[in-house]
Amino acid sequence: MDLSMMSYVELAIFLGFLCKAWQKTKFFLQFTFSILAINAVTCYCADKSLRAFLTYIWFFLLSKNFSQSEKSFSLKECAISVALAIGLVTGVPAMESPAHATPANSSIPDVSVLISGPPIKDPGALLRYALPIDNKAIREVQKPLEDITDSLKVAGVRALDSVERNVRQASRALSQGKDLILAGVAESKKAEAQELLDKLAVGLQELLRIVEERDRDAVKPKQKELLQYVGSVEEDMVDGFPYEVPEEYRNMPLLKGRATVDMKVKVKDNPNLQDCVFRIVLDGYNAPVTAGNFLDLVERHFYDGMEIQRADGFVVQTGDPEGPAEGFIDPSTGKIRTIPLEIMVSGDKSPVYGQTLEELGRYKAQTRLPFNAFGTMAMARDEFDNNSASSQVFWLLKESELTPSNANILDGRYAVFGYVTENEDYLADLKVGDVIESIQVVSGLDNLANPSYKIVG
């Protein structure tokens, strides 16, 4: 792994402090807080020069503080402090890839450092909130239904008391806000939305009966069904594609809406899991070029029969075809087809292209599709060329609880265009050499504009 400038600084400080461990008093607290502060500066300060400056200042102050005391402390305390410090410095593991799994010039960062984001981690919820709509009434129905997930974290049937409050709140919000919800639906979809809302109202009463009967196991499936109704109503609120893609990209395959695909993987050397189907929702509202490129390749059967090429516990990656080319070669040009980096920022009306948010100076901006769910799907690219993505894709595997919020190094640097919404937990079981038997479109193919696969038959 290549160490960044800050990695060398931290290593130097660590070694310097380590040498003083055997003779300086209060080392345990001072050392621990110093490393925490250094890591905090590294994570939250976007400018590298400022990070380095603040780190050097902190080191100077800590050195002066150390020099004021000459008392020693016990070997036990020293051992504990050193162990804790090592854990803090090395606790963020490297996102390294085997040489045979990922080409050097089509990669994601070499460190899986501080991957996190907004508190929403459920892929379905992320997709609902990513829709280009503004209807408070439907959100007031959605939120308590999503809160059921947290309510169920309480052990036993005691959780059902909280679930009951969630259901009653959602039912009340639906009753009071139904007219406002329908007013936000596209005119051509009002009849469909009315039917969905009727099903939602009935389903809420059914869920209430489930709770009253204390049938905890039946709650989650019913919750999922009701949230699907909510999501469908919200999608009916989108009236057409909400913006124009820049002219230089308009002739590329574009997904102007959403599409769903099923990826069937043949798992080797695992008697407990042989075939697994992953359902993936592609979001063209927030990444039309990226999602359109992938869906076009799916219809070309580009990924069928391809092996998983990287599976290291942090990501699962594929899409590098056989031969010297590291992406999809467009038959019409004989060259690798590449797409631009495409990032949609929360609050913006259209994506930004070709530049990372860091390069744009938008350090505090939140992406509409964050790397926040297990199974977040994004394009791999050359680390030093924003517009080099072609066919290689990856799914992120991580534990959000282990990393602080809003310190995600991937958001704004790599284009997310979908989430695995079913069987995502099995991604962690995939290994290099497992085979993608097929990826098939379930819905949304009619949202694909300029499909190149039709041109070549």
Side-chain angles (χ1 to χ4, degrees), residues 138-210:
I138 191 64
R139 297 301 194 198
E140 289 179 347
V141 178
Q142 173 184 332
K143 183 63 167 60
L145 284 175
E146 291 173 345
D147 288 344
I148 290 174
T149 300
D150 289 331
S151 297
L152 289 174
K153 291 180 180 178
V154 178
V157 295
R158 290 184 303 163
L160 297 179
D161 295 334
S162 296
V163 173
E164 182 177 354
R165 288 191 292 271
N166 298 142
V167 177
R168 292 190 183 280
Q169 182 182 351
S171 184
R172 184 167 55 251
L174 176 60
S175 177
Q176 296 174 352
K178 187 174 183 179
D179 290 342
L180 291 174
I181 293 172
L182 284 172
V185 174
E187 195 63 37
S188 61
K189 300 178 181 178
K190 285 190 182 294
E192 177 185 341
Q194 177 66 66
E195 182 180 351
L196 288 167
L197 290 176
D198 290 342
K199 290 181 178 179
L200 179 60
V202 172
L204 284 167
Q205 294 306 309
E206 291 173 349
L207 180 53
L208 194 58
R209 284 196 295 272
I210 289 171

Coordinates of all heavy atoms in Angstrom, one line a residue, residues 138-210:
I138 N -46.0 12.6 2.1 CA -45.7 11.2 1.9 C -44.5 10.9 2.8 O -44.4 9.7 3.3 CB -45.4 10.9 0.4 CG1 -45.3 9.4 0.2 CG2 -44.2 11.6 -0.1 CD1 -46.5 8.6 0.5
R139 N -43.6 11.8 3.0 CA -42.4 11.6 3.8 C -42.9 11.3 5.3 O -42.2 10.6 6.0 CB -41.5 12.8 3.8 CG -40.8 13.1 2.5 CD -40.1 11.9 1.9 NE -39.2 12.3 0.8 CZ -38.7 11.5 -0.1 NH1 -38.9 10.2 0.0 NH2 -37.9 11.9 -1.1
E140 N -44.0 12.0 5.7 CA -44.5 11.8 7.1 C -45.1 10.4 7.2 O -45.3 9.9 8.4 CB -45.4 12.9 7.4 CG -44.8 14.2 7.6 CD -45.7 15.3 7.9 OE1 -47.0 15.1 7.8 OE2 -45.3 16.4 8.4
V141 N -45.5 9.8 6.1 CA -45.9 8.4 6.2 C -44.7 7.4 6.2 O -44.6 6.4 6.9 CB -46.9 8.1 5.0 CG1 -47.3 6.6 5.0 CG2 -48.1 9.0 5.0
Q142 N -43.8 7.8 5.3 CA -42.6 6.9 5.1 C -41.7 6.8 6.4 O -41.3 5.7 6.7 CB -41.7 7.6 4.0 CG -40.4 6.9 3.8 CD -39.6 7.6 2.7 OE1 -40.1 8.3 1.8 NE2 -38.3 7.5 2.8
K143 N -41.5 7.9 7.1 CA -40.5 7.9 8.2 C -40.9 7.0 9.3 O -40.1 6.2 9.7 CB -40.4 9.4 8.7 CG -39.4 9.5 9.8 CD -38.0 9.2 9.4 CE -36.9 9.6 10.4 NZ -37.1 9.0 11.7
P144 N -42.1 7.0 9.8 CA -42.4 6.1 10.9 C -42.4 4.6 10.5 O -42.1 3.7 11.3 CB -43.8 6.5 11.4 CG -44.4 7.3 10.3 CD -43.2 8.0 9.6
L145 N -42.7 4.4 9.2 CA -42.6 3.0 8.7 C -41.2 2.5 8.7 O -40.8 1.4 9.0 CB -43.2 2.9 7.3 CG -44.8 2.9 7.2 CD1 -45.2 2.9 5.8 CD2 -45.3 1.7 8.0
E146 N -40.3 3.4 8.3 CA -38.8 3.1 8.4 C -38.3 2.9 9.8 O -37.4 2.1 10.0 CB -38.0 4.1 7.6 CG -38.3 4.1 6.1 CD -37.6 5.3 5.4 OE1 -37.2 6.3 6.0 OE2 -37.5 5.2 4.1
D147 N -38.9 3.7 10.7 CA -38.5 3.6 12.1 C -38.8 2.3 12.8 O -38.2 2.0 13.8 CB -39.1 4.8 12.9 CG -38.6 6.1 12.6 OD1 -37.5 6.2 12.0 OD2 -39.2 7.1 12.9
I148 N -39.6 1.5 12.1 CA -40.0 0.2 12.7 C -38.7 -0.7 12.7 O -38.5 -1.5 13.7 CB -41.0 -0.5 11.8 CG1 -42.4 0.2 12.0 CG2 -41.1 -2.0 12.1 CD1 -43.5 -0.3 11.0
T149 N -37.8 -0.5 11.8 CA -36.5 -1.2 11.8 C -35.8 -1.0 13.1 O -35.3 -1.9 13.7 CB -35.6 -0.8 10.6 OG1 -36.3 -1.1 9.4 CG2 -34.3 -1.6 10.6
D150 N -35.7 0.3 13.6 CA -35.0 0.5 14.8 C -35.8 0.0 16.0 O -35.2 -0.5 17.0 CB -34.8 2.1 15.0 CG -33.7 2.6 14.1 OD1 -32.8 1.8 13.7 OD2 -33.8 3.8 13.7
S151 N -37.1 0.1 15.9 CA -38.0 -0.4 17.0 C -37.7 -1.9 17.2 O -37.7 -2.4 18.4 CB -39.4 -0.2 16.7 OG -39.7 1.2 16.7
L152 N -37.5 -2.7 16.1 CA -37.3 -4.1 16.2 C -36.0 -4.5 16.8 O -35.7 -5.7 17.0 CB -37.5 -4.7 14.8 CG -39.0 -4.8 14.3 CD1 -39.0 -5.3 12.9 CD2 -39.9 -5.6 15.2
K153 N -35.1 -3.5 17.0 CA -33.8 -3.9 17.6 C -33.9 -4.2 19.1 O -33.0 -4.8 19.7 CB -32.8 -2.7 17.4 CG -32.4 -2.5 15.9 CD -31.5 -1.3 15.8 CE -31.1 -1.2 14.3 NZ -30.2 0.0 14.1
V154 N -35.0 -3.8 19.7 CA -35.3 -4.2 21.1 C -35.6 -5.7 21.1 O -36.4 -6.2 20.3 CB -36.4 -3.3 21.7 CG1 -36.7 -3.8 23.1 CG2 -36.1 -1.9 21.6
A155 N -35.1 -6.4 22.1 CA -35.3 -7.8 22.2 C -36.7 -8.2 22.6 O -37.4 -7.4 23.3 CB -34.3 -8.4 23.2
G156 N -37.2 -9.3 22.1 CA -38.5 -9.9 22.5 C -39.7 -9.1 22.0 O -39.6 -8.2 21.1
V157 N -40.8 -9.4 22.6 CA -42.1 -8.7 22.2 C -42.2 -7.3 22.7 O -43.1 -6.6 22.3 CB -43.3 -9.6 22.7 CG1 -43.3 -10.9 22.0 CG2 -43.3 -9.7 24.2
R158 N -41.3 -6.9 23.5 CA -41.3 -5.5 24.0 C -41.2 -4.5 22.9 O -41.7 -3.4 22.9 CB -40.2 -5.2 25.0 CG -40.4 -6.0 26.4 CD -39.3 -5.6 27.3 NE -38.0 -5.9 26.7 CZ -36.8 -5.4 27.2 NH1 -36.8 -4.5 28.2 NH2 -35.7 -5.7 26.6
A159 N -40.5 -5.0 21.8 CA -40.3 -4.1 20.7 C -41.6 -3.7 20.0 O -41.8 -2.7 19.4 CB -39.4 -4.8 19.6
L160 N -42.6 -4.6 20.2 CA -43.9 -4.4 19.5 C -44.7 -3.1 20.0 O -45.5 -2.6 19.3 CB -44.8 -5.6 19.6 CG -44.2 -6.9 18.9 CD1 -45.1 -8.1 19.1 CD2 -43.9 -6.6 17.4
D161 N -44.4 -2.7 21.2 CA -45.0 -1.5 21.7 C -44.6 -0.3 20.9 O -45.4 0.6 20.5 CB -44.7 -1.3 23.2 CG -45.3 -2.4 24.1 OD1 -46.3 -3.0 23.7 OD2 -44.7 -2.6 25.2
S162 N -43.3 -0.2 20.6 CA -42.8 0.9 19.8 C -43.3 0.7 18.3 O -43.6 1.7 17.7 CB -41.2 0.9 19.8 OG -40.7 1.1 21.1
V163 N -43.3 -0.5 17.8 CA -43.8 -0.7 16.5 C -45.2 -0.2 16.4 O -45.6 0.4 15.4 CB -43.7 -2.2 16.1 CG1 -44.4 -2.5 14.8 CG2 -42.3 -2.7 16.0
E164 N -46.0 -0.5 17.4 CA -47.4 -0.1 17.4 C -47.5 1.5 17.3 O -48.3 2.0 16.5 CB -48.2 -0.5 18.6 CG -49.6 -0.1 18.6 CD -50.4 -0.7 19.8 OE1 -49.8 -1.4 20.6 OE2 -51.6 -0.3 20.0
R165 N -46.7 2.2 18.0 CA -46.7 3.6 17.9 C -46.3 4.1 16.5 O -46.9 5.0 15.9 CB -45.7 4.2 18.9 CG -46.2 4.1 20.4 CD -45.4 5.0 21.3 NE -44.1 4.4 21.5 CZ -43.7 3.5 22.4 NH1 -44.7 3.0 23.2 NH2 -42.5 3.1 22.5
N166 N -45.3 3.4 15.9 CA -44.9 3.7 14.5 C -46.0 3.5 13.5 O -46.2 4.4 12.7 CB -43.7 2.8 14.1 CG -42.4 3.0 14.9 OD1 -41.8 2.0 15.2 ND2 -42.1 4.2 15.3
V167 N -46.7 2.4 13.7 CA -47.8 2.1 12.7 C -48.9 3.1 12.9 O -49.5 3.6 11.9 CB -48.3 0.7 12.9 CG1 -49.5 0.4 12.0 CG2 -47.2 -0.3 12.7
R168 N -49.3 3.5 14.1 CA -50.4 4.4 14.3 C -50.0 5.8 13.8 O -50.8 6.5 13.2 CB -50.7 4.5 15.8 CG -51.4 3.2 16.3 CD -51.9 3.4 17.7 NE -52.5 2.1 18.2 CZ -53.7 1.6 17.9 NH1 -54.5 2.3 17.1 NH2 -54.1 0.5 18.4
Q169 N -48.7 6.2 14.0 CA -48.3 7.5 13.5 C -48.3 7.5 11.9 O -48.8 8.5 11.3 CB -46.8 7.7 13.9 CG -46.3 9.1 13.5 CD -44.8 9.3 13.9 OE1 -44.3 8.5 14.7 NE2 -44.2 10.3 13.4
A170 N -47.9 6.4 11.3 CA -48.0 6.4 9.8 C -49.4 6.4 9.3 O -49.7 7.1 8.3 CB -47.3 5.1 9.3
S171 N -50.3 5.6 10.0 CA -51.7 5.6 9.6 C -52.4 7.0 9.8 O -53.1 7.4 8.9 CB -52.4 4.6 10.5 OG -53.8 4.4 10.0
R172 N -52.0 7.7 10.8 CA -52.6 9.0 11.1 C -52.1 10.0 10.0 O -52.8 10.8 9.5 CB -52.2 9.5 12.5 CG -52.8 10.8 12.9 CD -52.6 11.0 14.3 NE -51.2 10.9 14.8 CZ -50.8 9.9 15.5 NH1 -51.6 8.9 15.9 NH2 -49.5 9.9 15.9
A173 N -50.8 9.9 9.7 CA -50.2 10.8 8.6 C -50.8 10.5 7.3 O -51.1 11.5 6.5 CB -48.7 10.6 8.6
L174 N -51.1 9.3 7.0 CA -51.8 8.9 5.7 C -53.2 9.5 5.6 O -53.6 10.1 4.6 CB -51.8 7.4 5.5 CG -52.5 6.9 4.2 CD1 -51.8 7.5 3.0 CD2 -52.5 5.4 4.2
S175 N -53.9 9.3 6.7 CA -55.3 9.8 6.8 C -55.3 11.3 6.6 O -56.2 11.9 5.9 CB -55.9 9.4 8.1 OG -57.2 9.9 8.2
Q176 N -54.4 12.0 7.3 CA -54.5 13.5 7.3 C -53.8 14.1 6.0 O -54.2 15.2 5.6 CB -53.7 14.0 8.5 CG -54.4 13.7 9.8 CD -53.6 14.1 11.0 OE1 -52.4 14.5 10.9 NE2 -54.1 13.9 12.2
G177 N -52.9 13.3 5.4 CA -52.2 13.9 4.3 C -52.5 13.3 2.9 O -51.8 13.6 1.9
K178 N -53.5 12.5 2.8 CA -53.8 11.8 1.6 C -54.0 12.7 0.4 O -53.5 12.5 -0.7 CB -55.0 10.9 1.7 CG -55.3 10.0 0.5 CD -56.4 9.0 0.8 CE -56.6 8.0 -0.3 NZ -57.7 7.0 -0.1
D179 N -54.8 13.8 0.6 CA -55.1 14.8 -0.5 C -53.8 15.5 -0.9 O -53.6 15.7 -2.1 CB -56.1 15.8 0.0 CG -57.5 15.2 0.2 OD1 -57.7 14.1 -0.4 OD2 -58.3 15.8 0.9
L180 N -52.9 15.8 0.0 CA -51.7 16.5 -0.4 C -50.8 15.5 -1.1 O -50.0 15.9 -2.0 CB -51.0 17.0 0.9 CG -51.6 18.2 1.6 CD1 -50.9 18.5 2.9 CD2 -51.7 19.4 0.7
I181 N -50.8 14.2 -0.7 CA -50.0 13.2 -1.4 C -50.5 13.1 -2.9 O -49.7 13.2 -3.8 CB -50.1 11.9 -0.7 CG1 -49.4 11.9 0.7 CG2 -49.4 10.8 -1.6 CD1 -49.6 10.7 1.5
L182 N -51.8 13.0 -3.1 CA -52.3 12.8 -4.4 C -52.1 14.1 -5.3 O -51.9 14.0 -6.5 CB -53.8 12.5 -4.4 CG -54.2 11.1 -4.0 CD1 -55.7 10.9 -3.8 CD2 -53.7 10.1 -5.1
A183 N -52.1 15.2 -4.6 CA -51.8 16.5 -5.3 C -50.4 16.5 -5.9 O -50.2 17.2 -6.9 CB -52.1 17.7 -4.4
G184 N -49.5 15.8 -5.3 CA -48.1 15.8 -5.8 C -47.8 14.8 -6.8 O -46.7 14.7 -7.4
V185 N -48.8 13.9 -7.2 CA -48.6 12.8 -8.1 C -48.8 13.4 -9.5 O -49.7 14.2 -9.8 CB -49.6 11.7 -7.9 CG1 -49.5 10.6 -9.0 CG2 -49.3 11.1 -6.5
A186 N -48.0 12.9 -10.5 CA -48.2 13.3 -11.9 C -49.6 13.0 -12.3 O -50.1 11.9 -12.0 CB -47.1 12.6 -12.7
E187 N -50.2 13.8 -13.1 CA -51.6 13.7 -13.5 C -51.8 12.4 -14.2 O -52.9 11.7 -13.9 CB -51.9 14.8 -14.5 CG -53.4 15.0 -14.7 CD -54.2 15.4 -13.4 OE1 -53.6 16.2 -12.6 OE2 -55.3 14.9 -13.2
S188 N -50.9 11.9 -15.0 CA -51.2 10.6 -15.7 C -51.1 9.4 -14.8 O -51.4 8.3 -15.2 CB -50.1 10.5 -16.8 OG -48.8 10.5 -16.3
K189 N -50.6 9.6 -13.6 CA -50.4 8.5 -12.7 C -51.3 8.5 -11.4 O -51.1 7.7 -10.5 CB -49.0 8.4 -12.2 CG -48.0 8.2 -13.4 CD -46.6 8.2 -13.0 CE -45.6 8.1 -14.1 NZ -44.2 8.1 -13.7
K190 N -52.3 9.4 -11.4 CA -53.1 9.6 -10.2 C -53.9 8.4 -9.9 O -54.1 8.0 -8.7 CB -54.0 10.8 -10.4 CG -53.2 12.2 -10.2 CD -54.2 13.3 -10.1 CE -53.5 14.7 -10.0 NZ -52.7 14.8 -8.7
A191 N -54.5 7.7 -10.9 CA -55.3 6.5 -10.7 C -54.5 5.4 -10.0 O -54.9 4.8 -9.1 CB -55.9 6.1 -12.0
E192 N -53.3 5.2 -10.6 CA -52.4 4.2 -10.0 C -52.0 4.6 -8.6 O -52.0 3.7 -7.7 CB -51.1 4.1 -10.9 CG -50.1 3.1 -10.3 CD -48.8 3.2 -11.1 OE1 -48.8 3.6 -12.3 OE2 -47.7 2.7 -10.6
A193 N -51.7 5.8 -8.3 CA -51.3 6.3 -7.0 C -52.5 6.1 -6.0 O -52.3 5.7 -4.8 CB -50.9 7.7 -7.0
Q194 N -53.7 6.4 -6.4 CA -54.9 6.2 -5.6 C -55.0 4.7 -5.2 O -55.3 4.4 -4.0 CB -56.1 6.6 -6.3 CG -57.4 6.4 -5.5 CD -57.5 7.3 -4.3 OE1 -57.6 8.5 -4.4 NE2 -57.5 6.7 -3.1
E195 N -54.8 3.8 -6.1 CA -54.9 2.4 -5.8 C -53.8 2.0 -4.8 O -54.1 1.2 -3.9 CB -54.8 1.6 -7.1 CG -54.9 0.1 -6.9 CD -54.8 -0.7 -8.2 OE1 -54.7 0.0 -9.3 OE2 -54.6 -1.9 -8.2
L196 N -52.6 2.5 -5.0 CA -51.5 2.2 -4.1 C -51.8 2.7 -2.7 O -51.5 2.0 -1.7 CB -50.2 2.8 -4.6 CG -49.6 2.1 -5.8 CD1 -48.5 3.0 -6.5 CD2 -49.0 0.7 -5.5
L197 N -52.3 3.9 -2.6 CA -52.6 4.5 -1.3 C -53.7 3.7 -0.6 O -53.7 3.5 0.7 CB -53.1 5.9 -1.4 CG -52.0 6.9 -1.8 CD1 -52.5 8.3 -2.0 CD2 -50.8 6.9 -0.8
D198 N -54.7 3.2 -1.3 CA -55.7 2.3 -0.7 C -55.1 1.0 -0.2 O -55.5 0.6 0.9 CB -56.8 2.0 -1.8 CG -57.7 3.2 -2.2 OD1 -57.6 4.2 -1.4 OD2 -58.3 3.2 -3.2
K199 N -54.2 0.4 -1.0 CA -53.5 -0.8 -0.5 C -52.7 -0.5 0.8 O -52.6 -1.3 1.7 CB -52.6 -1.3 -1.6 CG -53.4 -1.9 -2.8 CD -52.4 -2.5 -3.8 CE -53.1 -3.1 -5.0 NZ -52.2 -3.7 -6.0
L200 N -52.1 0.7 0.8 CA -51.3 1.1 1.9 C -52.1 1.2 3.2 O -51.7 0.8 4.3 CB -50.6 2.4 1.6 CG -49.7 3.0 2.7 CD1 -48.6 2.0 3.1 CD2 -49.1 4.3 2.2
A201 N -53.3 1.8 3.0 CA -54.2 2.0 4.2 C -54.6 0.7 4.7 O -54.7 0.5 6.0 CB -55.4 2.9 3.8
V202 N -55.0 -0.2 3.8 CA -55.4 -1.6 4.3 C -54.2 -2.3 4.9 O -54.4 -2.9 6.0 CB -56.0 -2.4 3.1 CG1 -56.2 -3.8 3.5 CG2 -57.2 -1.8 2.5
G203 N -53.1 -2.2 4.3 CA -51.9 -2.8 4.9 C -51.5 -2.3 6.2 O -51.0 -3.1 7.1
L204 N -51.7 -1.0 6.5 CA -51.4 -0.5 7.8 C -52.3 -1.1 8.9 O -51.8 -1.4 10.0 CB -51.5 1.0 7.8 CG -50.4 1.8 7.1 CD1 -50.8 3.2 6.9 CD2 -49.1 1.7 8.0
Q205 N -53.6 -1.3 8.5 CA -54.5 -1.9 9.5 C -54.1 -3.4 9.7 O -54.2 -3.9 10.8 CB -55.9 -1.8 9.0 CG -56.4 -0.4 8.9 CD -56.3 0.3 10.3 OE1 -56.7 -0.2 11.3 NE2 -55.7 1.5 10.2
E206 N -53.6 -4.1 8.7 CA -53.2 -5.5 8.8 C -52.0 -5.5 9.7 O -51.8 -6.4 10.5 CB -52.9 -6.0 7.4 CG -54.2 -6.2 6.6 CD -53.8 -6.7 5.2 OE1 -52.6 -6.6 4.8 OE2 -54.8 -7.1 4.4
L207 N -51.0 -4.6 9.5 CA -49.8 -4.6 10.4 C -50.2 -4.3 11.8 O -49.6 -4.9 12.7 CB -48.9 -3.5 9.8 CG -47.5 -3.4 10.6 CD1 -46.8 -4.7 10.7 CD2 -46.6 -2.4 9.9
L208 N -51.2 -3.4 12.0 CA -51.6 -3.2 13.4 C -52.2 -4.4 14.0 O -51.9 -4.7 15.2 CB -52.7 -2.0 13.4 CG -53.0 -1.4 14.7 CD1 -51.7 -0.8 15.3 CD2 -54.1 -0.3 14.5
R209 N -52.9 -5.2 13.3 CA -53.5 -6.5 13.8 C -52.3 -7.4 14.2 O -52.4 -8.2 15.2 CB -54.4 -7.1 12.9 CG -55.8 -6.4 12.8 CD -56.9 -7.3 12.2 NE -56.6 -7.5 10.8 CZ -57.0 -6.7 9.8 NH1 -57.7 -5.6 10.1 NH2 -56.7 -6.9 8.5
I210 N -51.3 -7.5 13.3 CA -50.1 -8.3 13.5 C -49.5 -7.9 14.8 O -49.1 -8.8 15.7 CB -49.1 -8.2 12.4 CG1 -49.7 -8.9 11.1 CG2 -47.8 -8.8 12.7 CD1 -48.9 -8.6 9.9

